[in-house]
Amino acid sequence: MTQPTLSGPWLAPAKLNLFLYITGRRPDGYHDLQTLFQFIDCCDQLYFALNQAGEISLNSDLDFPAEDNLVVKAACLLQQHCHVKQGVSITLEKRLPMGGGIGGGSSNAATTLLVLNQLWQCQLNLEQLAALGLQLGADLPIFIHGHSAFAEGVGEQLQNVNPEEKWYVVLHPNVHVSTPSVFKHPELPRNTPKRNWNELKNSDWHNDCQEIVAKVYPEVAQALGWLLEYAPSRMTGTGSCVFAAFDTEREALAVLNKRPKNLTGFVCKSCNQSPLHQQLNQIKNIQ
């Protein structure tokens, strides 16, 4: 791993939902979930340059206003919460597909909170940062937590687990799936029975959102069907990315190289400790 400096590059890793069950609907409209998060070593990269003017800015190739980006929202939230007078210019190098269910936007925001907590010397602990992050999205706590986890609630109640680390082929069908539209769909299952981790870890895994997304987005159904020829395939999160596990990088690369031309994708290794937290630990050891 490249030796990190305080300015960057800092990693914002993707995640996979190895299973996702919807166990109920809450009065506030959110859904109760049971899911298994595991990180993968495919990451966006962020750079941070502090300024004394208190201004927060974002440089990226994204084609929507910077103020709508979770990175800027995260920096502003931390700045206000901790009464920080410094500002920061953030550069985001985007590698992860958007709208793919692998958590890129949430991971970018979590990396921003974790790194600025160090650079601005806010001295918040992980629980405090996770509570801040939850204001921006249900996936932020897992990226702040930094370890593979069995999650409940809306995804913020985390129990450390260590699923087997494997090689994955991840395919992106080049469609953007709207998470709110999936959770509003009338045919979405919302009553999967709750089970504890000991029951779930030895069961066949499934994603309750997969059937609806495949029905609405035929490109996702096609990707699932093609990958199924080589290994059991599932969708991650609310889609659109689909994945399958392999024992070796060589096997995974061989499958990826056969993919249809309308599918983009990559091979990655899963990891139970977030690549970002590995970087943060390196900095601590140096200091």
Side-chain angles (χ1 to χ4, degrees):
M1 183 183 292
T2 302
Q3 184 66 56
T5 67
L6 289 175
S7 61
W10 288 100
L11 300 177
K15 55 80 179 171
L16 296 177
N17 295 85
L18 299 184
F19 60 71
L20 176 59
Y21 303 115
I22 304 170
T23 59
R25 195 170 194 170
R26 299 152 61 118
D28 60 8
Y30 285 91
H31 290 75
D32 282 315
L33 311 173
Q34 290 190 309
T35 190
L36 174 57
F37 289 114
Q38 191 177 38
F39 301 101
I40 55 176
D41 62 2
C42 188
C43 308
D44 290 338
Q45 294 189 341
L46 293 97
Y47 297 80
F48 298 85
L50 300 185
N51 65 64
Q52 301 305 315
E55 297 174 354
I56 292 172
S57 63
L58 175 66
N59 306 305
S60 76
D61 294 331
L62 300 176
D63 59 356
F64 59 89
E67 61 269 19
D68 294 335
N69 192 288
L70 282 178
V71 167
V72 173
K73 291 181 178 180
C76 291
L77 182 62
L78 185 64
Q79 185 188 53
Q80 293 163 10
H81 181 79
C82 295
H83 309 290
V84 174
K85 301 202 181 299
Q86 286 182 313
V88 64
S89 175
I90 305 169
T91 299
L92 169 61
E93 293 183 356
K94 196 76 185 153
R95 299 179 180 182
L96 303 173
M98 298 177 64
I102 57 175
S106 295
S107 185
N108 296 160
T111 294
T112 299
L113 289 174
L114 283 159
V115 174
L116 287 180
N117 184 53
Q118 300 276 343
L119 295 179
W120 283 341
Q121 300 180 0
C122 296
Q123 299 182 331
L124 300 184
N125 61 34
L126 291 184
E127 289 72 23
Q128 292 169 316
L129 286 171
L132 273 183
L134 189 59
Q135 297 179 36
L136 301 174
D139 274 353
L140 267 79
I142 182 59
F143 291 107
I144 292 169
H145 181 67
H147 196 281
S148 292
F150 169 52
E152 299 185 277
V154 296
E156 88 289 7
Q157 299 170 23
L158 303 171
Q159 172 187 337
N160 279 9
V161 295
N162 291 288
E164 185 178 355
E165 295 178 342
K166 295 184 177 182
W167 290 96
Y168 285 95
V169 171
V170 179
L171 297 179
H172 186 231
N174 296 314
V175 293
H176 187 293
V177 174
S178 164
T179 296
S181 69
V182 173
F183 280 112
K184 289 175 184 174
H185 199 286
E187 296 176 29
L188 183 70
R190 295 182 171 89
N191 58 354
T192 298
K194 283 191 177 184
R195 289 169 283 176
N196 62 39
W197 169 243
N198 285 331
E199 293 175 283
L200 284 165
K201 69 180 180 182
N202 296 315
S203 66
D204 292 329
W205 293 344
H206 179 69
N207 183 334
D208 280 345
C209 300
Q210 183 170 304
E211 186 175 344
I212 293 299
V213 173
K215 184 176 179 180
V216 176
Y217 298 90
E219 300 92 339
V220 175
Q222 187 244 343
L224 284 163
W226 182 84
L227 195 52
L228 187 59
E229 295 180 22
Y230 301 94
S233 61
R234 286 191 303 285
M235 189 179 75
T236 179
T238 55
S240 58
C241 284
V242 304
F243 66 92
F246 296 87
D247 291 329
T248 67
E249 182 182 21
R250 183 176 178 179
E251 288 178 275
L253 286 169
V255 170
L256 180 71
N257 290 335
K258 297 175 185 175
R259 73 190 184 279
K261 292 182 179 178
N262 64 322
L263 294 175
T264 58
F266 54 88
V267 166
C268 58
K269 182 76 183 294
S270 64
C271 41
N272 288 328
Q273 185 183 40
S274 162
L276 172 63
H277 283 253
Q278 294 177 38
Q279 283 188 300
L280 290 166
N281 288 338
Q282 276 188 290
I283 289 291
K284 287 178 184 176
N285 290 336
I286 293 168
Q287 292 174 338

